[in-house]
Amino acid sequence: MDEAKYSAYLAVLTKRLSDRRLHHSLCVADSARHLAEKFGADADVCFEAGLLHDVLKEAKADEIFALCRRWEIALTPLEKVTPKLWHAKVGAVFLEKELGVTDARVISAVRYHTTAKADMSPEELTLFVADFVSADRDYPDVDVIRAKSERDPEDAAVYGLAYTIRELAQEERPIHPDTLEAYNDLILKRNPKG
Ligand code: DGI
Ligand code: FE
Ligand code: FE
């Protein structure tokens, strides 16, 4: 990425994000580039998507709903009541409309970075996994998923999805259909007989 573009993105991120979240974004960008180089996704696309993926993570509900109206983004009933999903779907459109991102691979990786989806592109999968294993992450099995990510990113994604689905079900919260479809897709690819 050229210097001018990097500085412009950094200025937006610095304005919108806490120090901790900015640090997370830089760590995810690094992890995404590393995984891309190792497993053959586009490294520049993954770095850019990693840098920008959480740009709207700290936006307030008022702003999210205003952006949805302005850009005619339709949230499903499940998405409306799940604030953690907003920054991915609305953030992807923000990249296009406000930051001038034109590469559909970057936009789509950001869009699906929280839920994942069935049939992910290499760049979508890479960002999804990078967000779990970035250097700033510190949850109980982060070492397990880091080790998997270095061997087989799809295996790491299955582990991450199973972890998220388990947590959400345990708390009796809604699970986005894209999350369930991503999980089934990767499981069936691994073992077509189920
Ligand atoms: O933005 P980050 O914190 O870096 O990570 P993220 O965008 O992957 O968000 C993770 C959060 O999103 C985590 O608390 C679980 C939640 N989440 C992920 N998939 C789903 C979900 N929440 C619901 N209700 N349904 C989902 O399918
Ligand atoms: Fe996120
Ligand atoms: Fe993130």
Side-chain angles (χ1 to χ4, degrees), residues 21 24 53-54 57 78 82 84-85 87 113-115 128 131-132 137 164 168 173-177 179:
R21 182 62 55 180
H24 166 71
H53 78 288
D54 275 341
K57 181 77 179 184
L78 185 154
T82 312
K84 285 190 167 159
L85 302 179
H87 73 290
H113 86 265
T114 304
T115 56
F128 181 70
D131 199 13
F132 272 101
R137 289 296 199 199
T164 300
L168 292 168
R173 294 153 66 91
I175 300 172
H176 196 283
T179 304

Side-chain angles (χ1 to χ4, degrees), residues 67-127:
L67 295 178
C68 286
R69 268 195 306 278
R70 188 191 312 165
W71 296 326
E72 298 181 358
I73 302 168
L75 298 177
T76 66
L78 185 154
E79 289 166 351
K80 263 186 209 146
V81 300
T82 312
K84 285 190 167 159
L85 302 179
W86 298 345
H87 73 290
K89 189 165 184 175
V90 183
V93 182
F94 185 89
L95 260 54
E96 187 189 345
K97 305 273 191 195
E98 294 290 321
L99 304 184
V101 175
T102 52
D103 194 318
R105 295 170 297 176
V106 174
I107 293 168
S108 170
V110 170
R111 171 164 182 167
Y112 294 106
H113 86 265
T114 304
T115 56
K117 69 189 270 288
D119 280 317
M120 280 190 281
S121 68
E123 290 75 25
E124 288 161 348
L125 179 79
T126 299
L127 179 59

